């Protein structure tokens, strides 16, 4: 990792420095070439202008020797390759050096093009104006040459004597006399530029090598603590305790090393805490294993006890089932066996009360009335026992229909008119209130509750019967101001054969039948009472009626008729 990182830093830094120095070298070389060419152009234009001024006399006198001597004087000037002088008609008067024909032709063409912007001589030819300066030209075919041309102007003398007397041409008109052309070689400039390029390349190479070595040294110093951090991290990954990394520099690497050392300290601290927790966990596991073994033994004992209890419950259930079946068989047998003699006794007593009433004495009539009353009570007990048998055996069908609750309650009150006596009966039920129920069973329910209310209400007492709808339920309340029921008996009054006052008349089945009928209809019944303050029975019936069961309405009417006969 250290070698790769150092190499990357070194290559990157060297590349940046090389590109930077190369750019600077190219810039300075190009700048130097531009400056040298500019100086050479200035020199060439100055030389061409001076040569043009000195050749004016020779052009006027057309002294070729004088012009050649003037050109030979340029031989000592460095870098001059060639030069010539031509007259205004383009005729070559003198030349110096070797002039390539193609270059000569190209320069002549350019001079002619410049002449188009000059003055017309009147002989069909344009010549440069007297105010034009020297120009510099470059040839694409001969890039190593620089050519400067300058027009030669002067006053045309009226005679040779005027030329001697007025050498400055002050008395004559300034006219175009010819052109001077000087060619310079750029070989020396190119050699200097090439030398500068080589020097720049050498400097860049030396600086690049120095930068490479310096970068490697710096990167080595920088990456040494990183390598130590890497080694320590690998030791941490292997689960070993690494040494602390020491960095003397005051930079981000030192901060990284300190953070790593802090992490190592925390790891060591956490390792010690984990080892301690592991030891504690082993101790807890040992304790838990012992407790689990102990609880397992307890659970095994409990399971055995539960198994024994289950067996006992099964035996008790079987015994209770056998007892229930025996009780049901006994009640069924007793009910059927008692109904026949009771029917005969009741028939004979009714006959005696109807046809022998005048023949019997007062004492005999009292005996007949007592027998008639007890026969009716026995018949009611037998019917209640049969009803309980049907309820317990789930064989009591329901014929659900819409019944006017007011008429149903009023009919039960009318049937109990003989038991009402001086008691006040208040029926607070809307006359149009209906209920979905089995009319025969609900009649039996009202009959039993009202019978109890009359039985435990004094002669001048009051019984209130009310009903109203609340949300999705029908609430029926039967309230009396009788002697009430003690609190310890309230939870048991709906159990079969349970009597609050065993010495009084009754079989203890009435309220049990009431509860069974209410629950059969999907409702519920509750009782609230306090001794001396009366009792309130509350029946809550759902508005949605239970599923109707197949039954015969004729049987229900016969059951009502039998209750009325009692």
């Amino acid at each position: 990792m250290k070698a790769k990182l150092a190499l990357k830093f070194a290559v990157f830094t060297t590349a940046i420095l090389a590109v930077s120095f190369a750019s600077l070298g190219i810039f300075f070389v190009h700048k130097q070439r531009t400056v040298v060419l500019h100086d050479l152009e200035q020199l060439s234009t100055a030389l061409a202008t001076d040569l043009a001024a000195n050749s004016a006399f020779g052009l006027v006198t057309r002294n070729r020797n004088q012009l050649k001597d003037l050109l030979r004087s340029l031989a000592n000037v460095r870098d001059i390759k060639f030069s010539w002088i031509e007259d205004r008609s383009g005729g070559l008067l003198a030349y110096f050096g070797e002039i390539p024909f193609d270059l000569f032709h190209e320069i002549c063409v350019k001079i002619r093009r410049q002449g188009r912007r000059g003055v017309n001589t009147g002989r069909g030819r344009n010549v440069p104006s007297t105010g034009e300066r020297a120009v510099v030209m470059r040839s694409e075919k001969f890039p190593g040459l620089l050519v400067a041309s300058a027009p030669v102007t002067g006053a045309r003398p009226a005679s040779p004597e005027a030329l001697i007397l007025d050498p400055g041409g002050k008395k004559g008109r300034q006219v175009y006399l010819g052109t001077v052309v000087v060619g310079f070689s750029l070989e020396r400039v190119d050699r200097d530029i090439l030398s500068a390029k080589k020097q720049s390349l050498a400097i860049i190479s030396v600086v690049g090598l120095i930068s490479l070595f310096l970068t490697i040294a710096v990167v080595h110093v920088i990456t040494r603590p990183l390598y130590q951090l890497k080694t320590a991290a690998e030791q941490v990954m292997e689960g070993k305790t690494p040494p602390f990394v020491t960095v003397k520099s005051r930079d981000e690497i030192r901060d990284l090393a300190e953070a790593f050392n802090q992490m190592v300290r925390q790891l060591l601290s956490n390792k010690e805490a984990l080892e301690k927790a592991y030891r504690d966990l082993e101790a807890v596991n040992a304790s838990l294993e012992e407790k689990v073994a102990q609880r397992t033994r307890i659970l095994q004992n409990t399971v055995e006890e539960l198994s024994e209890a289950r067996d006992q419950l099964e035996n008790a259930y079987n015994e209770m089932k056998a007892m229930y079946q025996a009780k049901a068989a006994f009640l069924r047998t007793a009910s059927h066996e008692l109904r026949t003699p009771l029917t005969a006794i009741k028939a004979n007593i009714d006959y005696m009360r109807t046809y022998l009433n005048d023949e019997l004495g007062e004492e005999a009539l009292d005996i007949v009335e007592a027998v008639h009353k007890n026969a009716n009570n026995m018949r009611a007990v037998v019917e209640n026992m049969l009803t309980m048998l049907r309820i317990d055996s789930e064989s009591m069908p329901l014929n659900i229909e819409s019944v006017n609750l007011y008429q149903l309650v009023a009919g039960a009150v009318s049937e109990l008119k003989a038991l009402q006596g001086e008691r006040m009966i208040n029926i607070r039920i809307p006359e149009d209130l209906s209920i979905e129920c089995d009319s025969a069973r609900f009649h039996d329910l009202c009959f039993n509750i009202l019978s109890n209310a009359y039985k435990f209400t004094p002669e001048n007492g009051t019984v209130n019967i009310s009903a109203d709808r609340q949300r999705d339920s029908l609430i029926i309340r039967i309230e009396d101001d009788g002697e009430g029921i003690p609190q310890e008996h309230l939870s048991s009054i709906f159990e079969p054969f349970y009597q609050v006052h065993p010495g009084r008349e009754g079989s203890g089945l009435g309220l049990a039948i009431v509860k069974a009928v209410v629950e059969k209809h999907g409702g519920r019944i509750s009782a609230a009472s306090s001794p001396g303050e009366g009792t309130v029975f509350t029946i809550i019936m759902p508005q949605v009626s239970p599923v109707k069961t197949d039954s015969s309405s004729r049987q229900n009417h016969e059951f009502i008729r039998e209750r009325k006969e009692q």
Side-chain angles (χ1 to χ4, degrees), residues 504-566:
R504 296 190 180 184
E505 296 180 0
S507 61
L509 294 174
L511 292 180
I513 294 174
V514 168
K515 181 180 180 183
V517 171
V518 171
E519 292 179 349
K520 195 77 173 179
H521 283 78
R524 61 183 186 275
I525 184 172
S526 61
S529 180
S530 297
E533 297 182 1
T535 304
V536 179
F537 286 93
T538 302
I539 301 173
I540 302 176
M541 298 290 292
Q543 288 191 12
V544 180
S545 61
V547 180
K548 294 183 180 182
T549 58
D550 295 335
S551 63
S552 173
S553 60
R554 184 176 59 84
Q555 293 178 354
N556 293 331
H557 290 301
E558 288 180 355
F559 181 77
I560 295 173
R561 182 174 56 78
E562 291 176 358
R563 294 294 298 170
K564 290 181 178 179
E565 290 178 356
Q566 295 177 5

Side-chain angles (χ1 to χ4, degrees), residues 245-260:
V245 179
T246 303
V247 179
K248 297 181 180 180
S249 61
R250 297 181 180 180
D251 51 16
E252 289 79 3
I253 297 179
R254 180 178 180 180
D255 297 337
L256 178 63
E258 291 179 354
F260 179 81

Side-chain angles (χ1 to χ4, degrees), residues 277-466:
Y278 180 74
R279 292 192 296 270
D280 295 341
L281 183 61
E282 286 184 343
V284 171
N285 287 337
S287 177
L288 286 176
E289 289 177 357
E290 183 179 355
K291 291 181 179 180
V292 167
Q294 182 180 0
R295 295 299 172 86
T296 303
R297 291 191 295 270
I298 295 174
L299 286 176
Q300 290 177 350
N301 296 332
T302 304
V303 169
E304 294 176 358
E305 293 176 357
L306 288 175
S307 299
E308 294 178 0
R310 183 193 61 188
D311 297 338
Q312 294 176 2
L313 286 175
E314 289 179 354
N315 295 333
Y317 172 76
N318 294 331
E319 292 176 359
M320 290 179 64
K321 185 177 180 181
M323 291 174 61
Y324 173 77
Q325 293 175 352
K327 181 187 75 171
F330 169 76
L331 292 176
R332 191 180 298 107
T333 303
S335 299
H336 286 288
E337 292 297 330
L338 290 174
R339 289 186 74 179
T340 302
L342 283 175
T343 301
I345 292 172
K346 190 174 184 302
N348 291 325
I349 292 299
D350 290 340
Y351 177 81
M352 293 176 66
R353 293 177 68 234
T354 302
Y355 299 104
L356 301 179
N357 189 26
D358 297 335
E359 300 178 4
L360 297 175
E362 182 178 355
E363 183 177 358
L365 288 175
D366 292 339
I367 293 173
V368 169
E369 289 297 329
V371 172
H372 180 266
K373 180 179 180 181
N374 287 300
N376 286 335
N377 291 336
M378 284 295 297
R379 183 179 176 84
V381 170
V382 170
E383 293 298 334
N384 288 336
M385 290 170 61
L386 290 175
T387 301
M388 287 301 301
L389 284 175
R390 288 194 292 270
I391 293 173
D392 291 342
S393 60
E394 297 293 335
S395 62
M396 183 179 70
L398 293 178
N399 183 26
I400 303 300
E401 58 184 347
S402 180
V403 180
N404 186 287
L405 182 61
Y406 178 85
Q407 296 178 1
L408 186 64
V409 174
V413 171
S414 178
E415 293 176 13
L416 294 170
K417 196 70 175 178
L419 296 178
Q420 180 177 344
E422 299 297 329
R423 300 174 182 86
M424 177 67 68
I425 307 299
N426 297 320
I427 302 177
R428 297 187 179 91
I429 300 175
E431 295 184 359
D432 59 346
L433 183 61
S434 61
I435 181 174
E436 297 288 332
C437 66
D438 187 319
S439 58
R441 304 304 175 191
F442 217 79
H443 171 272
D444 194 32
L445 179 150
C446 296
F447 192 93
N448 285 329
I449 292 182
L450 291 175
S451 297
N452 278 345
Y454 290 166
K455 187 184 301 182
F456 297 103
T457 302
E459 284 293 330
N460 58 350
T462 302
V463 177
N464 297 319
I465 306 170
S466 62

